[in-house]
């Protein structure tokens, strides 16, 4: 196993003195090595990040994509591109295996996201989740928190897949997804199937909620204290955390889509995963930040009152703010699914340009 030496700093100080776990929001091997040196114990990925990583390193991936195509002469662009993503994921998972073994499956996991083009088919999502689960012992599979996704999450969990719920921005989505995971785990328990080595997490993309509310305020001309808009995702995450603790869900919350340092500092001390992009991890680790447990500190009521002026904040903050049927039509869900679908198309185009270069 590759030995990665620890790097001292604020990140390591925090993760060594709290149940809060640091994961890296990328499976880029260079970034992941550095994240592990900071105290990182996992990694997440999505179609945009996977495409960006492959496109960033043409000196590595051009020849590898050609080799995949050569070995599989009947495959189309999508199959070749996804094989590259799977290869990258397996290599990243290998870096995390020592942590996975040390922590009994709770951490040391590498996220692989299901193909967003399957977002309308629960069985295809669950089948692909099971396929990815078998690629390495420490894979955790992303499925979106939509009505179809919730069905797939329960099914895949029952099959023994550790799930990372994604395309999730609200308390309602997080709670309904955690309930689906519990149903899947309970079905396994009743049949005597193992669950103790599973490590499900439920993501709230806190920064993407902030982004959406800023868009709505501008679109609808809502007068609001602008500083409150930096706190919406934090408020939703803390609200969901309280519910997870009260109800004893076996899945952990995961904070993703960083936009500001509150999305690190406000979650410290919680039994949660925080997954910043590597550039944010570097900013924090190079700073004079001092660890302080703040997970149980409520968001200033002034900010909550201001945010309540935005109807979509109440949808995101209230546990019954949306029904499961409404998840797919929430603004950030549509926007994020479209971005993930576009990244799939971009990866297809990248493979096409390698295999059939323009004349």
């Amino acid at each position: 196993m590759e030995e990665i030496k620890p790097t001292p700093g604020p990140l390591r100080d925090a993760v060594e003195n709290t149940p809060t776990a640091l994961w890296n929001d990328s499976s880029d091997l260079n970034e992941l090595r550095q994240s592990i040196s900071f105290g990182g114990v996992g990694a997440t990925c999505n179609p945009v990040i996977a495409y960006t990583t492959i496109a960033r390193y043409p000196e590595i991936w051009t020849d590898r994509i050609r080799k995949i195509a050569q070995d599989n002469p009947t495959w189309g662009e999508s199959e070749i591109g996804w094989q590259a993503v799977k290869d990258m994921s397996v290599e990243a998972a290998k870096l995390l295996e020592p942590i996975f073994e040390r922590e009994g499956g709770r951490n040391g996991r590498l996220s692989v996201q299901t193909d967003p083009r399957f977002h309308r088919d629960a069985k295809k999502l669950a089948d692909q989740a099971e396929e990815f689960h078998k690629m390495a012992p420490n894979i955790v599979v992303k499925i979106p928190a939509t009505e179809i996704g919730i069905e797939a999450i329960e099914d895949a969990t029952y099959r023994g897949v550790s799930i990372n719920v994604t395309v999730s921005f609200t308390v309602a989505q997080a709670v309904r997804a955690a309930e689906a995971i519990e149903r899947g785990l309970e079905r396994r328990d009743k049949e005597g199937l193992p669950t103790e080595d599973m490590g499900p997490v439920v993501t709230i993309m806190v920064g993407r909620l902030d982004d959406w509310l800023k868009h709505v305020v501008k679109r609808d001309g809502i007068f609001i204290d602008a500083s409150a808009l930096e706190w919406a995702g934090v408020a939703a995450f803390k609200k969901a955390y309280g519910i997870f603790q009260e109800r004893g869900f076996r899945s952990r919350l995961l904070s993703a889509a960083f936009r500001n340092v509150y999305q690190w500092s406000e979650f410290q001390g919680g039994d949660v995963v925080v997954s910043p992009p590597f550039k944010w991890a570097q900013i924090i680790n190079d700073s004079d930040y001092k660890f302080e447990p703040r997970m149980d500190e409520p968001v200033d009521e002034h900010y909550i009152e201001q945010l309540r002026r935005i109807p979509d904040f109440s949808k995101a903050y209230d546990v019954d703010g949306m029904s499961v049927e409404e998840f797919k039509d929430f603004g950030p869900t549509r926007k994020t699914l479209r971005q993930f679908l576009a990244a799939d198309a971009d990866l297809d185009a990248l493979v096409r340009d390698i295999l059939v270069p323009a004349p």
Side-chain angles (χ1 to χ4, degrees):
M1 293 291 182
E2 180 177 345
E3 182 179 357
I4 299 174
K5 295 181 179 179
T7 299
L11 288 173
R12 183 166 286 279
D13 289 344
V15 299
E16 288 182 348
N17 291 283
T18 175
T20 310
L22 169 67
W23 290 16
N24 187 60
D25 197 15
S26 165
S27 54
D28 180 300
L29 294 178
N30 293 329
E31 292 182 354
L32 183 53
R33 288 186 183 94
Q34 293 178 75
S35 176
I36 293 170
S37 80
F38 293 160
V41 291
T44 60
C45 197
N46 64 43
V48 175
I49 294 170
Y51 163 74
T52 301
T53 300
I54 291 171
R56 185 187 300 160
Y57 300 108
E59 70 279 7
I60 296 173
W61 286 103
T62 296
D63 287 343
R64 292 188 65 170
I65 286 170
R66 286 180 179 143
K67 181 67 165 59
I68 293 169
Q70 180 182 339
D71 291 345
N72 302 278
T74 64
W75 280 10
E77 296 155 355
S78 181
E79 292 167 297
I80 294 166
W82 270 91
Q83 186 61 51
V85 172
K86 289 190 278 188
D87 289 350
M88 177 174 60
S89 299
V90 169
E91 290 167 10
K94 197 72 175 175
L95 279 178
L96 292 162
E97 266 192 36
I99 300 166
F100 176 77
E101 292 169 0
R102 183 185 76 219
E103 300 200 12
R106 183 170 174 78
N107 289 304
R109 291 188 178 271
L110 187 282
S111 289
V112 183
Q113 184 153 334
T114 47
D115 190 332
R117 285 172 287 204
F118 294 163
H119 70 96
R120 299 177 64 239
D121 190 323
K123 185 177 185 302
K124 282 187 177 180
L125 287 171
D127 287 348
Q128 190 175 56
E130 188 174 15
E131 174 197 348
F132 289 170
H133 162 72
K134 294 175 180 177
M135 294 192 311
N138 56 330
I139 293 291
V140 58
V141 184
K142 286 186 169 184
I143 295 178
T146 58
E147 181 181 7
I148 295 296
I150 297 292
E151 180 183 344
I153 286 164
E154 179 179 345
D155 184 14
T157 299
Y158 168 67
R159 300 189 201 187
V161 180
S162 291
I163 297 297
N164 178 355
V165 176
T166 189
V167 193
S168 171
F169 318 90
T170 71
V171 176
Q173 286 176 292
V175 171
R176 298 290 93 79
E179 290 171 344
I181 290 169
E182 286 300 312
R183 290 193 297 272
L185 293 173
E186 287 167 3
R187 289 168 63 192
R188 289 182 65 80
D189 290 338
K190 287 178 181 177
E191 296 183 19
L193 298 171
T195 57
E196 62 276 0
D197 59 345
M198 295 173 69
V201 292
V202 176
T203 293
I204 294 182
M205 306 178 89
V206 292
R208 285 179 179 259
L209 177 59
D210 290 357
D211 292 346
W212 176 251
L213 296 182
K214 290 172 185 176
H215 164 75
V216 170
V217 164
K218 184 176 180 180
R219 181 193 68 193
D220 297 347
I222 299 172
F223 186 87
I224 188 173
D225 176 353
S227 62
L229 293 168
E230 302 300 323
W231 289 92
V234 170
F237 193 86
K238 289 195 175 197
K239 176 77 168 291
Y241 181 72
I243 295 170
F244 273 47
Q245 296 301 106
E246 289 170 8
R247 300 189 185 181
F249 292 143
R250 283 177 273 185
S251 48
R252 282 180 295 171
L253 276 171
L254 184 152
S255 169
F258 256 55
R259 298 296 185 269
N260 62 55
V261 294
Y262 303 137
Q263 293 163 3
W264 167 261
S265 61
E266 287 294 316
F267 304 145
Q268 295 308 299
D271 186 12
V272 299
V273 176
V274 186
S275 183
F278 184 71
K279 67 177 183 179
W280 275 104
Q282 276 190 309
I283 289 169
I284 296 164
N285 213 52
D286 291 343
S287 73
D288 59 357
Y289 169 75
K290 302 296 183 186
F291 163 71
E292 178 184 356
R294 292 197 56 80
M295 189 69 208
D296 294 331
E297 295 292 323
V299 172
D300 191 314
E301 191 59 33
H302 166 72
Y303 294 140
I304 302 298
E305 291 172 359
Q306 289 290 303
L307 290 164
R308 286 286 192 188
R309 298 181 180 189
I310 313 169
D312 274 6
F313 173 73
S314 293
K315 290 182 180 180
Y317 188 68
D318 296 337
V319 69
D320 57 355
M322 287 189 295
S323 67
V324 173
E325 294 78 14
E326 292 175 308
F327 292 166
K328 70 180 185 302
D329 291 321
F330 192 47
T333 300
R334 287 186 175 184
K335 185 174 182 180
T336 301
L337 277 175
R338 286 178 62 86
Q339 288 176 334
F340 288 173
L341 288 164
D344 257 353
D346 288 341
L347 183 58
D348 286 353
L350 184 151
V351 172
R352 185 183 315 125
D353 287 345
I354 290 171
L355 300 184
V356 189

